[in-house]
Amino acid sequence: MRIAIVGAGAAAVGLLDALAVSEAEAGEVTVFEPSAHLWRGRPYGPDLDRVLVNVPPAVMSIRHLDSGHYSSWLGAERAATHMDDLFGQPLVPRALYGEYLADSAETALATLRGRGWRTRVVAARIVAVTRSRGLRLALYTEDGHEHMADQVVLCVGGGTPQDHYGLGGAHGFVGDPYPLASTLDQIQTGADVAVIGSGLTAVDVAVSLAARGHAGRIALVSRTGMLPHVYQRPLDYRPRHVTVERVEALGREHGGVTLDDLAGLLRAELAEKGEDFARFTTELLMARSEEPVRWLRAQLAAIDDPRIGRRVLQQSAYTVAPYAWRLLPESDRERLRRYLRLATSVAAPMVPVNAAALLGLFDSGQLTTAPGVRKIEAVERGFRVRGDGGDLNADVVVNALNPPPQTVPRAAEQLVTSLLTDGLAALYPSGGLAPADPRLHVVGDFAAGGTFITSGILGVAARAARTAGGLLTVQAG
């Protein structure tokens, strides 16, 4: 069987690893990727050491159901070097995590070759996939070369940041901040910088600017002004109620699940620990209205809080939520989408070392927030930000907004058009690509049917493992 993998980021690594640890018969796998930074994708390429992986190692394993895979690769010495004393966990630069992905991919390819597989990586962009006259699919590169495959897996990554305020082309506008090592070099030390957004990317920008000795003012400008939550120290706790098994059982019993069902599972989880559900939800909702600096200070003070509520939500966002989402009625999905910013803040918190740095910038007066932004426009000597609190002027604007989940990656637009034209796939109304042909598969954030929160590594690894299992079932058949 010939397998073609389009893209060589984390999703492709997860798929190759899942194939390598299986007992599959020998076949052929070809990976198509034009970038020189194989296996790292956009998030984990070479960058500043200050740009950290924002989660502990246990939830960054690219091997499904092996939470120690990444920790073993990292090793005790490197883990100690990158230990965050506030967090009690190693937090490594993203570029170092990219090395882990690259090593995992090369190890998987070597393992497959050792079992008789033919493997190759083609440095080319796939721009079309069509049905051929036989049983295979035809893939076409930009230079017109044709490649045939029995199964095609799209691992094309996520969308690209959107320019909501139409600033593209304006002098001083940074449309995509990554890699920060190159984009921040373009910003003069004394420039006043407006960072669009207040999520993890905005935190990366602000903290990295300060670490490089930036002397100008920095403002996080956004519609809500809501900062991410702050990670609490991990506890050795395994949920008993908020689990995939309990959600699947509810689905079988009721023909689906509702938000009330899921809330009931969380309520039971908290009750067993003597924690109050109503108090927990009230505290969560405070993030939308609390003054940012006061709220951030309280979050840092709660790093060692023994209560399990937020920890359970963070874990379940990438383990339980993908299963639950498929069983929810559309009305409940829409209710959750209205809380997107809050849900993202909880599910993707910032690490304590960045939170402490951010608080220091606030306390010094160098960093401010400007919520209620309605318009940002290029003017003669920079930019003017118009918001509910008045106007703010900036020399530079950095777009730190994340693309919505399940959006079409810019580099894959031509490919997606060919799939839609040939009837091989369809775009979901809520986002993502759904294959209409059993020979086509999608792994990663672009897969249709995912939750309204961007996939984490755990979700990517799980989907990669399921896809690999499906491919091998076809091979065995």
Side-chain angles (χ1 to χ4, degrees), residues 306-386:
R307 291 179 296 168
I308 64 169
R310 272 202 287 133
R311 295 177 174 91
V312 171
L313 279 187
Q314 286 157 6
Q315 178 181 337
S316 63
Y318 301 109
T319 55
V320 178
Y323 295 91
W325 185 259
R326 295 197 294 268
L327 300 173
L328 285 172
E330 183 57 32
S331 58
D332 277 356
R333 292 183 185 181
E334 188 56 38
R335 286 172 61 192
L336 283 173
R337 290 189 187 104
R338 291 198 291 269
Y339 289 90
L340 171 62
R341 186 67 189 90
L342 177 60
T344 302
S345 170
V346 176
M350 68 177 117
V351 291
V353 64
N354 281 350
L358 210 65
L359 184 59
L361 291 174
F362 278 125
D363 285 344
S364 72
Q366 185 179 9
L367 178 66
T368 59
T369 60
V373 170
R374 292 176 278 105
K375 185 178 183 180
I376 304 176
E377 55 189 350
V379 295
E380 185 176 351
R381 295 185 179 180
F383 300 87
R384 181 172 295 118
V385 180
R386 299 187 183 276

Coordinates of all heavy atoms in Angstrom, one line a residue, residues 306-386:
P306 N -4.9 23.5 45.9 CA -5.1 22.1 45.8 C -6.4 21.7 45.1 O -6.6 20.6 44.7 CB -5.1 21.6 47.2 CG -5.6 22.7 48.0 CD -5.1 23.9 47.4
R307 N -7.3 22.7 44.8 CA -8.6 22.4 44.2 C -8.4 21.8 42.8 O -7.5 22.3 42.1 CB -9.5 23.5 44.2 CG -10.0 23.9 45.6 CD -10.9 25.1 45.6 NE -10.2 26.3 45.1 CZ -10.8 27.5 44.8 NH1 -12.1 27.5 44.9 NH2 -10.1 28.5 44.5
I308 N -9.2 20.9 42.4 CA -9.0 20.2 41.1 C -9.7 20.8 39.9 O -9.5 20.4 38.8 CB -9.4 18.7 41.2 CG1 -10.9 18.6 41.5 CG2 -8.5 18.0 42.3 CD1 -11.4 17.2 41.4
G309 N -10.7 21.7 40.1 CA -11.6 22.1 39.1 C -11.0 22.5 37.8 O -11.2 21.9 36.7
R310 N -10.1 23.5 37.8 CA -9.4 24.0 36.6 C -8.5 22.9 36.0 O -8.5 22.8 34.7 CB -8.7 25.3 36.8 CG -9.5 26.5 36.7 CD -8.7 27.7 36.4 NE -7.9 28.2 37.6 CZ -6.6 28.5 37.6 NH1 -5.9 28.3 36.5 NH2 -6.1 28.9 38.7
R311 N -7.9 22.2 36.8 CA -7.0 21.1 36.3 C -7.8 20.1 35.5 O -7.4 19.6 34.5 CB -6.2 20.5 37.4 CG -5.3 21.4 38.2 CD -4.6 20.7 39.3 NE -3.6 21.5 40.0 CZ -3.8 22.3 41.0 NH1 -5.0 22.4 41.5 NH2 -2.8 22.9 41.6
V312 N -9.0 19.7 36.0 CA -9.8 18.7 35.3 C -10.3 19.3 34.0 O -10.3 18.6 32.9 CB -11.0 18.3 36.2 CG1 -12.0 17.5 35.4 CG2 -10.5 17.5 37.4
L313 N -10.7 20.6 34.0 CA -11.1 21.2 32.7 C -10.0 21.2 31.7 O -10.2 21.0 30.5 CB -11.7 22.6 33.0 CG -13.1 22.7 33.5 CD1 -13.5 24.2 33.5 CD2 -14.1 21.9 32.6
Q314 N -8.8 21.6 32.1 CA -7.7 21.7 31.2 C -7.3 20.3 30.6 O -7.1 20.2 29.4 CB -6.5 22.3 31.9 CG -6.6 23.8 32.2 CD -5.8 24.3 33.3 OE1 -5.0 23.5 33.9 NE2 -5.9 25.5 33.7
Q315 N -7.4 19.3 31.4 CA -7.1 18.0 30.9 C -8.1 17.5 30.0 O -7.9 17.0 28.9 CB -6.9 17.0 32.1 CG -6.6 15.6 31.7 CD -6.5 14.6 32.9 OE1 -6.2 15.1 34.0 NE2 -6.7 13.4 32.7
S316 N -9.4 17.7 30.4 CA -10.5 17.2 29.5 C -10.7 17.9 28.2 O -11.3 17.4 27.3 CB -11.8 17.2 30.4 OG -12.2 18.5 30.7
A317 N -10.2 19.2 28.2 CA -10.3 19.9 26.9 C -9.7 19.2 25.7 O -10.2 19.4 24.6 CB -9.7 21.3 27.1
Y318 N -8.7 18.4 26.0 CA -8.0 17.8 24.9 C -8.1 16.3 24.9 O -7.6 15.6 24.0 CB -6.5 18.1 24.9 CG -6.3 19.6 24.8 CD1 -5.8 20.4 25.9 CD2 -6.5 20.3 23.6 CE1 -5.7 21.8 25.8 CE2 -6.4 21.7 23.5 CZ -6.0 22.4 24.6 OH -5.8 23.7 24.5
T319 N -8.8 15.7 25.9 CA -8.9 14.3 26.0 C -10.4 13.9 25.9 O -10.8 13.1 25.0 CB -8.4 13.7 27.3 OG1 -9.0 14.4 28.4 CG2 -6.9 13.9 27.4
V320 N -11.3 14.5 26.7 CA -12.7 14.2 26.7 C -13.5 15.0 25.7 O -14.4 14.5 25.0 CB -13.3 14.4 28.1 CG1 -14.8 14.1 28.2 CG2 -12.5 13.5 29.1
A321 N -13.1 16.3 25.6 CA -13.9 17.2 24.8 C -14.1 16.7 23.3 O -15.2 16.8 22.8 CB -13.3 18.6 24.8
P322 N -13.1 16.2 22.6 CA -13.3 15.7 21.2 C -14.4 14.7 21.1 O -15.1 14.7 20.1 CB -11.9 15.2 20.8 CG -10.9 16.0 21.7 CD -11.6 16.1 23.0
Y323 N -14.5 13.8 22.1 CA -15.5 12.8 22.1 C -16.9 13.4 22.4 O -17.9 13.1 21.7 CB -15.2 11.6 23.1 CG -14.0 10.9 22.7 CD1 -12.7 11.3 23.2 CD2 -14.0 9.8 21.9 CE1 -11.6 10.5 22.9 CE2 -12.9 9.0 21.6 CZ -11.7 9.4 22.1 OH -10.5 8.7 21.8
A324 N -16.9 14.2 23.4 CA -18.2 14.8 23.8 C -18.7 15.7 22.7 O -20.0 15.8 22.5 CB -18.0 15.6 25.1
W325 N -17.9 16.5 22.1 CA -18.3 17.4 21.0 C -19.1 16.8 20.0 O -20.1 17.3 19.5 CB -17.1 18.1 20.4 CG -17.4 19.2 19.5 CD1 -17.3 19.1 18.1 CD2 -17.8 20.5 19.8 NE1 -17.7 20.3 17.5 CE2 -17.9 21.2 18.5 CE3 -18.0 21.2 20.9 CZ2 -18.3 22.6 18.5 CZ3 -18.3 22.6 20.9 CH2 -18.5 23.2 19.6
R326 N -18.7 15.6 19.5 CA -19.5 14.9 18.5 C -20.9 14.5 18.9 O -21.7 14.2 18.1 CB -18.7 13.6 18.0 CG -17.4 14.0 17.4 CD -16.8 12.8 16.6 NE -16.5 11.7 17.5 CZ -15.3 11.5 18.0 NH1 -14.3 12.3 17.7 NH2 -15.0 10.5 18.8
L327 N -21.1 14.3 20.2 CA -22.4 13.9 20.8 C -23.3 15.0 21.2 O -24.5 14.8 21.5 CB -22.1 13.0 22.0 CG -21.3 11.7 21.7 CD1 -21.0 11.0 23.0 CD2 -22.0 10.8 20.7
L328 N -22.8 16.2 21.2 CA -23.6 17.4 21.6 C -24.5 17.8 20.5 O -24.2 17.8 19.4 CB -22.7 18.6 22.0 CG -21.9 18.5 23.3 CD1 -21.0 19.7 23.4 CD2 -22.9 18.5 24.5
P329 N -25.8 18.3 20.9 CA -26.6 18.9 19.9 C -26.1 20.2 19.4 O -25.3 20.9 20.2 CB -28.0 19.1 20.6 CG -27.6 19.1 22.1 CD -26.4 18.2 22.2
E330 N -26.4 20.7 18.3 CA -25.9 21.9 17.7 C -26.2 23.1 18.6 O -25.4 24.1 18.7 CB -26.4 22.2 16.3 CG -25.8 23.4 15.6 CD -24.3 23.4 15.5 OE1 -23.7 22.3 15.4 OE2 -23.7 24.4 15.6
S331 N -27.3 23.1 19.3 CA -27.7 24.2 20.1 C -26.7 24.4 21.3 O -26.3 25.5 21.7 CB -29.1 24.0 20.7 OG -29.2 22.8 21.4
D332 N -26.2 23.2 21.8 CA -25.3 23.3 22.9 C -23.9 23.7 22.4 O -23.1 24.3 23.1 CB -25.2 21.9 23.6 CG -26.3 21.8 24.7 OD1 -27.0 22.7 24.9 OD2 -26.4 20.7 25.3
R333 N -23.6 23.2 21.2 CA -22.3 23.6 20.6 C -22.2 25.2 20.4 O -21.2 25.8 20.7 CB -22.1 23.0 19.2 CG -21.9 21.5 19.3 CD -21.6 20.9 17.9 NE -21.5 19.5 17.9 CZ -21.3 18.8 16.8 NH1 -21.1 19.4 15.6 NH2 -21.2 17.5 16.8
E334 N -23.4 25.7 20.0 CA -23.4 27.2 19.8 C -23.3 27.9 21.1 O -22.7 28.9 21.2 CB -24.7 27.5 19.1 CG -24.8 29.0 18.7 CD -23.7 29.4 17.8 OE1 -23.2 28.6 16.9 OE2 -23.2 30.5 17.9
R335 N -23.9 27.4 22.2 CA -23.7 28.0 23.5 C -22.3 28.0 23.9 O -21.8 29.0 24.4 CB -24.5 27.2 24.5 CG -26.0 27.4 24.5 CD -26.7 26.4 25.4 NE -26.4 26.6 26.8 CZ -26.6 25.7 27.8 NH1 -27.3 24.6 27.5 NH2 -26.3 26.0 29.0
L336 N -21.5 26.9 23.7 CA -20.1 26.9 24.0 C -19.3 27.8 23.2 O -18.4 28.5 23.7 CB -19.6 25.5 23.8 CG -19.9 24.4 24.9 CD1 -19.5 23.0 24.5 CD2 -19.3 24.8 26.2
R337 N -19.7 28.0 21.9 CA -18.9 28.9 21.0 C -19.0 30.3 21.6 O -18.1 31.1 21.4 CB -19.4 28.8 19.6 CG -19.1 27.5 18.9 CD -19.5 27.6 17.4 NE -19.3 26.3 16.7 CZ -20.3 25.5 16.4 NH1 -21.5 25.9 16.6 NH2 -20.1 24.4 15.8
R338 N -20.1 30.7 22.2 CA -20.2 32.0 22.8 C -19.2 32.3 23.9 O -19.0 33.4 24.3 CB -21.7 32.3 23.2 CG -22.7 32.3 22.1 CD -24.0 33.0 22.5 NE -24.7 32.2 23.5 CZ -25.7 31.3 23.1 NH1 -25.9 31.1 21.8 NH2 -26.3 30.6 24.0
Y339 N -18.7 31.2 24.5 CA -17.7 31.3 25.5 C -16.3 31.0 25.1 O -15.5 30.6 25.8 CB -18.1 30.4 26.7 CG -19.3 30.9 27.5 CD1 -20.6 30.5 27.1 CD2 -19.2 31.7 28.6 CE1 -21.7 30.9 27.8 CE2 -20.3 32.2 29.3 CZ -21.5 31.7 28.9 OH -22.6 32.2 29.6
L340 N -16.1 31.2 23.8 CA -14.8 30.8 23.2 C -13.6 31.4 23.9 O -12.7 30.7 24.2 CB -14.8 31.2 21.7 CG -13.4 31.0 21.0 CD1 -13.0 29.5 21.0 CD2 -13.5 31.5 19.5
R341 N -13.6 32.7 24.1 CA -12.5 33.3 24.7 C -12.2 32.8 26.1 O -11.1 32.6 26.5 CB -12.7 34.9 24.7 CG -11.5 35.6 25.2 CD -10.3 35.5 24.2 NE -9.1 36.1 24.7 CZ -8.2 35.4 25.4 NH1 -8.4 34.1 25.7 NH2 -7.1 35.9 25.9
L342 N -13.3 32.6 26.9 CA -13.1 32.1 28.3 C -12.6 30.7 28.2 O -11.7 30.3 29.0 CB -14.4 32.2 29.0 CG -14.4 31.6 30.4 CD1 -13.4 32.3 31.3 CD2 -15.8 31.7 31.1
A343 N -13.2 29.9 27.3 CA -12.8 28.5 27.3 C -11.3 28.3 26.8 O -10.6 27.5 27.4 CB -13.7 27.7 26.3
T344 N -10.9 29.2 25.9 CA -9.5 29.1 25.5 C -8.6 29.6 26.6 O -7.5 29.0 26.8 CB -9.3 30.1 24.3 OG1 -10.2 29.7 23.2 CG2 -7.9 30.0 23.8
S345 N -9.0 30.6 27.4 CA -8.2 31.0 28.5 C -8.0 29.9 29.5 O -6.9 29.8 30.1 CB -8.9 32.2 29.2 OG -8.3 32.6 30.4
V346 N -9.0 29.1 29.7 CA -8.9 28.0 30.7 C -8.1 26.8 30.1 O -7.2 26.3 30.8 CB -10.3 27.5 31.2 CG1 -10.1 26.4 32.2 CG2 -11.0 28.7 31.9
A347 N -8.4 26.5 28.9 CA -7.8 25.3 28.3 C -6.4 25.5 27.9 O -5.6 24.5 27.9 CB -8.6 24.9 27.1
A348 N -6.0 26.7 27.6 CA -4.6 27.0 27.2 C -4.1 28.1 28.1 O -3.9 29.3 27.7 CB -4.6 27.4 25.7
P349 N -3.8 27.8 29.3 CA -3.3 28.8 30.3 C -1.8 29.2 30.0 O -1.1 28.5 29.3 CB -3.4 28.2 31.6 CG -3.4 26.7 31.4 CD -3.9 26.5 30.0
M350 N -1.4 30.3 30.5 CA 0.1 30.7 30.4 C 0.8 30.0 31.6 O 0.3 29.7 32.6 CB 0.2 32.2 30.4 CG 0.0 32.9 31.7 SD 0.3 34.7 31.5 CE -1.4 35.4 31.8
V351 N 2.1 29.8 31.3 CA 3.0 29.2 32.3 C 3.3 30.2 33.4 O 3.4 31.4 33.1 CB 4.2 28.5 31.7 CG1 3.8 27.3 30.9 CG2 5.0 29.5 30.8
P352 N 3.6 29.8 34.6 CA 3.9 30.8 35.7 C 5.0 31.7 35.4 O 5.0 32.9 35.8 CB 4.1 29.9 36.9 CG 3.4 28.7 36.6 CD 3.5 28.5 35.1
V353 N 6.1 31.3 34.8 CA 7.3 32.1 34.5 C 6.9 33.3 33.6 O 7.3 34.4 33.8 CB 8.4 31.3 33.9 CG1 8.1 30.8 32.6 CG2 9.7 32.2 33.9
N354 N 6.0 33.1 32.6 CA 5.5 34.2 31.8 C 4.5 35.0 32.5 O 4.5 36.3 32.3 CB 4.9 33.6 30.5 CG 5.9 33.2 29.5 OD1 7.1 33.5 29.6 ND2 5.5 32.5 28.4
A355 N 3.7 34.4 33.4 CA 2.8 35.2 34.1 C 3.5 36.2 35.1 O 3.1 37.4 35.2 CB 1.8 34.3 34.9
A356 N 4.5 35.7 35.7 CA 5.3 36.5 36.6 C 6.0 37.7 35.9 O 6.0 38.8 36.3 CB 6.3 35.7 37.4
A357 N 6.5 37.4 34.7 CA 7.2 38.4 33.9 C 6.1 39.4 33.4 O 6.4 40.7 33.4 CB 7.8 37.8 32.7
L358 N 4.9 39.0 33.1 CA 3.9 39.9 32.7 C 3.5 40.8 33.8 O 3.3 42.0 33.6 CB 2.7 39.1 32.2 CG 1.8 39.7 31.1 CD1 2.6 39.8 29.8 CD2 0.6 38.8 30.9
L359 N 3.3 40.2 35.0 CA 3.0 41.0 36.1 C 4.0 42.1 36.4 O 3.7 43.3 36.8 CB 2.8 40.2 37.4 CG 2.3 40.9 38.6 CD1 0.9 41.6 38.4 CD2 2.2 39.9 39.8
G360 N 5.3 41.8 36.3 CA 6.4 42.7 36.5 C 6.3 43.9 35.5 O 6.5 45.0 35.8
L361 N 5.9 43.6 34.2 CA 5.7 44.6 33.2 C 4.6 45.5 33.5 O 4.6 46.7 33.4 CB 5.5 44.0 31.8 CG 6.8 43.3 31.3 CD1 6.4 42.6 30.0 CD2 7.9 44.3 31.0
F362 N 3.5 44.9 34.0 CA 2.3 45.7 34.5 C 2.7 46.7 35.6 O 2.4 47.8 35.6 CB 1.2 44.8 34.9 CG 0.3 44.3 33.8 CD1 0.1 43.0 33.6 CD2 -0.3 45.2 32.9 CE1 -0.7 42.5 32.6 CE2 -1.1 44.7 31.8 CZ -1.3 43.3 31.7
D363 N 3.4 46.1 36.6 CA 3.7 46.9 37.8 C 4.7 48.0 37.5 O 4.7 49.1 38.1 CB 4.4 45.9 38.9 CG 3.3 45.0 39.6 OD1 2.1 45.3 39.4 OD2 3.8 44.0 40.2
S364 N 5.6 47.8 36.5 CA 6.5 48.9 36.1 C 5.8 50.0 35.3 O 6.4 51.0 35.1 CB 7.7 48.3 35.3 OG 7.2 47.9 34.0
G365 N 4.7 49.7 34.8 CA 4.0 50.7 33.9 C 4.3 50.6 32.5 O 3.7 51.3 31.6
Q366 N 5.2 49.7 32.1 CA 5.6 49.5 30.7 C 4.5 48.9 29.9 O 4.3 49.2 28.7 CB 6.9 48.7 30.5 CG 7.4 48.7 29.1 CD 8.7 47.9 29.0 OE1 9.2 47.3 29.9 NE2 9.3 47.9 27.8
L367 N 3.8 48.0 30.5 CA 2.7 47.2 29.9 C 1.3 47.6 30.4 O 1.1 47.8 31.6 CB 2.9 45.7 30.1 CG 1.8 44.8 29.5 CD1 1.9 44.8 28.0 CD2 2.0 43.3 30.0
T368 N 0.4 47.8 29.4 CA -1.0 48.1 29.7 C -1.9 47.3 28.9 O -1.5 46.7 27.9 CB -1.3 49.6 29.5 OG1 -1.0 49.9 28.1 CG2 -0.5 50.5 30.4
T369 N -3.2 47.3 29.2 CA -4.2 46.6 28.4 C -5.2 47.7 27.9 O -5.4 48.7 28.6 CB -4.9 45.5 29.1 OG1 -5.6 46.1 30.3 CG2 -4.0 44.4 29.6
A370 N -5.7 47.5 26.7 CA -6.7 48.4 26.1 C -7.8 47.6 25.6 O -7.8 47.2 24.4 CB -6.0 49.3 25.1
P371 N -8.8 47.2 26.4 CA -9.9 46.4 25.9 C -10.9 47.3 25.2 O -10.8 48.5 25.1 CB -10.6 45.9 27.2 CG -10.2 46.9 28.3 CD -8.9 47.5 27.9
G372 N -11.9 46.6 24.6 CA -13.0 47.3 23.9 C -12.5 48.0 22.6 O -13.1 49.0 22.1
V373 N -11.5 47.4 21.9 CA -11.0 48.0 20.7 C -12.0 47.8 19.6 O -12.6 46.7 19.4 CB -9.6 47.3 20.3 CG1 -9.2 47.7 18.9 CG2 -8.6 47.7 21.3
R374 N -12.3 48.9 18.9 CA -13.2 48.9 17.8 C -12.6 49.0 16.4 O -13.1 48.6 15.4 CB -14.3 50.0 18.0 CG -15.2 49.7 19.2 CD -16.1 50.9 19.4 NE -15.5 51.9 20.2 CZ -15.1 53.1 19.7 NH1 -15.2 53.3 18.4 NH2 -14.5 54.0 20.4
K375 N -11.4 49.7 16.4 CA -10.8 50.0 15.1 C -9.3 50.3 15.3 O -8.9 50.9 16.3 CB -11.5 51.3 14.4 CG -11.0 51.6 13.0 CD -11.8 52.8 12.5 CE -11.3 53.1 11.1 NZ -12.1 54.3 10.5
I376 N -8.5 49.8 14.3 CA -7.1 50.2 14.3 C -6.8 50.6 12.9 O -7.1 50.0 11.9 CB -6.2 49.0 14.7 CG1 -6.6 48.4 16.0 CG2 -4.7 49.4 14.7 CD1 -5.8 47.1 16.4
E377 N -6.2 51.8 12.8 CA -5.9 52.4 11.4 C -4.5 52.9 11.3 O -3.9 53.4 12.3 CB -6.9 53.5 11.1 CG -6.9 54.6 12.2 CD -8.1 55.6 12.0 OE1 -8.7 55.5 10.9 OE2 -8.3 56.4 12.9
A378 N -4.0 52.8 10.1 CA -2.6 53.3 9.9 C -2.8 54.8 9.6 O -3.7 55.3 8.9 CB -2.0 52.7 8.6
V379 N -1.9 55.6 10.3 CA -1.9 57.1 10.2 C -0.5 57.5 9.7 O 0.3 56.7 9.4 CB -2.3 57.8 11.5 CG1 -3.8 57.4 11.8 CG2 -1.4 57.3 12.6
E380 N -0.3 58.8 9.6 CA 0.9 59.3 9.0 C 2.2 58.8 9.7 O 3.1 58.4 9.0 CB 0.9 60.8 9.0 CG 2.1 61.4 8.2 CD 2.0 62.9 8.2 OE1 0.9 63.5 8.5 OE2 3.0 63.6 7.7
R381 N 2.2 58.8 11.0 CA 3.4 58.4 11.7 C 3.2 57.1 12.6 O 3.7 57.1 13.7 CB 3.8 59.5 12.6 CG 4.3 60.7 11.8 CD 4.8 61.8 12.7 NE 5.3 63.0 11.9 CZ 5.8 64.1 12.4 NH1 5.9 64.2 13.8 NH2 6.2 65.1 11.7
G382 N 2.4 56.2 12.1 CA 2.2 55.0 12.9 C 0.8 54.5 12.8 O 0.2 54.4 11.7
F383 N 0.2 54.2 14.0 CA -1.1 53.7 14.0 C -1.9 54.3 15.1 O -1.4 54.8 16.1 CB -1.0 52.2 14.3 CG -0.3 51.4 13.2 CD1 1.1 51.3 13.3 CD2 -0.9 50.8 12.2 CE1 1.8 50.6 12.4 CE2 -0.2 50.1 11.2 CZ 1.2 50.0 11.3
R384 N -3.2 54.3 14.9 CA -4.1 54.8 16.0 C -5.1 53.7 16.3 O -5.8 53.2 15.4 CB -4.9 56.1 15.5 CG -5.8 56.6 16.6 CD -6.4 58.0 16.2 NE -5.4 59.0 16.1 CZ -5.1 59.6 15.0 NH1 -5.7 59.4 13.9 NH2 -4.1 60.5 15.0
V385 N -5.2 53.4 17.6 CA -6.1 52.3 18.1 C -7.3 53.1 18.7 O -7.1 53.8 19.7 CB -5.4 51.4 19.1 CG1 -6.4 50.4 19.6 CG2 -4.1 50.8 18.5
R386 N -8.5 52.8 18.3 CA -9.7 53.4 18.8 C -10.4 52.4 19.6 O -10.7 51.3 19.1 CB -10.5 53.9 17.7 CG -9.9 55.0 16.8 CD -10.8 55.6 15.9 NE -10.2 56.6 15.0 CZ -10.0 57.9 15.3 NH1 -10.4 58.3 16.5 NH2 -9.4 58.7 14.5

